[in-house]
């Protein structure tokens, strides 16, 4: 079945016979047992809830995984995933990551005894030099946040397999509509469901999608123990969001391509980071491994004053954190998503006081361009 059809018909809810076209919201904490030692399949909503279960089935199908687990946020998903590791385990992560992941690794995982190497522009040639006997996993985001670097997933997955490492890929930016890391060899796919899967800037959610039943079993145990599960109503909102994922991704990408080209022509814009521009260094890898480029653009303006003025002058584009919704958002990574990242580390990556990030929304792109033009003038 085509992915756009799966977005709409990916659930298989048979637990009710009302003819309801949508999955019901099972707003219950617990479930009655039919008899001693018997279960309807549901015991307690931390472990499983029928609404959440349908959402998980949809996401597992979209990513081609054996299972998907739905969490209360993307960070909750990554935090639970880190419980697969123990003191002394070593993880190789790309240096350019969502700021929250960097904060989790530095301030919590390291305290718990996990050791990290952060690799700038990780690829199959340089990753080998970081592998040691304690290495257990490679964690990447592609395209990365906010510098839009693309990692060759197939090449990295070969290295991971040869060395018996888990390959973990944060696929938030492209979504399963444009990219399926499991097909390219990943073992675990991470999503902030808050972003494109929800699509409307109205709820938080997170996912782990796993390649194997074995990983599912391990993570389900941690999941029910820790309890960072997605509520029934929020699960329902994400099911609804996913129904329009295909059309949103197509249109937001179309808008992003128009905007990236426009930005390139602006004298006050010095650099544009968007993998859909054929001048982007990773354009060829993007074409090879993904079906699209997404709708996230970072760009550097000529001065800090221009950046601040733009953030203060925009009307239609909203100066806010987050991404992936129908509203165009403009973000200042230095002060927002990456505020907790060490300054030298941050600036080395290019996240400086002139860098802005756009999550291109679903508005008419002409209106967005008019807004950005007046803000930039
Ligand atoms: C937002 C985001 C996260 C964290 O997700 P939350 O839902 O905000 O907890 C993780 N990775 C990426 C790439 C993100 O954009």
């Amino acid at each position: 079945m085509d992915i756009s059809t799966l977005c709409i018909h990916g659930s298989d809810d048979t637990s009710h016979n009302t003819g309801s076209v949508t999955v019901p919201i099972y707003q219950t904490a617990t479930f009655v047992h039919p008899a001693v030692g018997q279960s309807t399949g549901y015991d307690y909503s931390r472990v499983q809830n029928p609404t959440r279960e349908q959402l998980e089935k949809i996401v597992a199908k979209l990513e081609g995984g054996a299972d998907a687990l739905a969490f209360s946020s993307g960070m909750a998903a990554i935090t639970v995933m880190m419980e697969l590791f123990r003191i002394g385990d070593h993880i190789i992560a790309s240096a350019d990551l969502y700021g929250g992941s960097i904060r989790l690794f530095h301030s919590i995982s390291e305290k718990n005894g996990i050791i990290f190497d952060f690799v700038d522009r990780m690829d199959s040639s340089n990753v080998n030099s970081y592998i040691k006997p304690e290495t257990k996993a490679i964690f990447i985001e592609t395209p990365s946040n906010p510098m839009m670097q693309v990692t060759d997933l197939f090449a990295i997955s070969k290295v991971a397999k040869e060395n018996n490492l888990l390959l973990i890929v944060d696929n938030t930016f492209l979504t399963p509509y444009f990219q399926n890391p499991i097909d390219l060899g990943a073992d675990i796919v991470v999503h902030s469901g808050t972003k494109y899967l929800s699509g409307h800037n109205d709820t938080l959610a997170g996912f782990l999608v796993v390649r194997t039943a074995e990983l599912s079993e391990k993570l389900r145990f941690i999941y029910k123990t820790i309890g960072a599960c997605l509520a029934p109503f929020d699960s329902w909102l994400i099911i609804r969001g996913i129904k329009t994922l295909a059309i949103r991704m197509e249109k937001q990408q179309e808008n992003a391509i128009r905007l990236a080209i426009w930005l390139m022509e602006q004298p006050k814009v010095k650099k544009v980071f968007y993998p859909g521009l054929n001048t982007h260094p990773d354009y060829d890898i993007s074409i090879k491994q993904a079906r699209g480029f997404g709708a996230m653009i970072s760009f550097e303006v000529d001065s800090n004053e221009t950046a601040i003025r733009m953030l203060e002058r925009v009307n239609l584009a909203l100066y806010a954190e987050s991404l992936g919704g129908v509203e165009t958002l403009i973000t200042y990574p230095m002060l927002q998503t990456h505020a907790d990242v060490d300054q030298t580390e941050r600036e080395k990556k290019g996240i400086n006081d002139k860098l802005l990030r756009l999550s291109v929304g679903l508005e008419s792109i002409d209106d967005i361009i008019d807004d950005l033009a007046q803000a930039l003038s």
Side-chain angles (χ1 to χ4, degrees), residues 111-158:
K111 163 184 76 72
N112 293 344
I114 317 288
I115 299 153
F116 290 87
D117 266 311
F118 292 92
V119 183
D120 193 33
R121 296 208 58 85
M122 191 183 327
D123 61 38
S124 53
S125 61
N126 66 9
V127 73
N128 270 307
S129 61
Y130 292 91
I131 298 175
K132 41 189 181 183
E134 303 78 38
T135 309
K136 292 286 152 49
I138 298 175
F139 184 98
I140 49 184
E141 217 175 277
T142 180
S144 66
N145 185 0
M147 300 312 293
M148 308 304 292
Q149 293 171 2
V150 179
T151 301
D152 185 334
L153 286 173
F154 186 68
I156 287 280
S157 81
K158 263 180 68 183

Side-chain angles (χ1 to χ4, degrees), residues 11 31 45 92 118 126 136 170 187 205 229 269 311 318 331 334 340 365:
S11 68
F31 299 84
S45 279
I92 304 169
F118 292 92
N126 66 9
K136 292 286 152 49
D170 185 329
D187 299 292
C229 52
V269 174
L311 292 168
L318 306 172
T331 305
M334 181 185 87
D340 286 348
I365 194 59

Side-chain angles (χ1 to χ4, degrees), residues 72-76 78 97-98 100-101 141 143 145 170-173 190-195 203-206 322-323 357:
S72 50
S73 71
M75 288 320 300
I78 302 172
L97 287 183
Y98 175 68
S101 303
E141 217 175 277
N145 185 0
D170 185 329
N171 199 29
T172 299
F173 272 28
V190 175
H191 279 285
S192 168
T194 312
K195 314 295 168 56
T203 189
L204 298 178
S322 200
L323 62 109
R357 192 190 75 181

Side-chain angles (χ1 to χ4, degrees), residues 290-301:
R291 296 178 291 274
F293 309 105
M296 295 300 299
I297 303 172
S298 293
F299 62 103
E300 196 181 297
V301 290

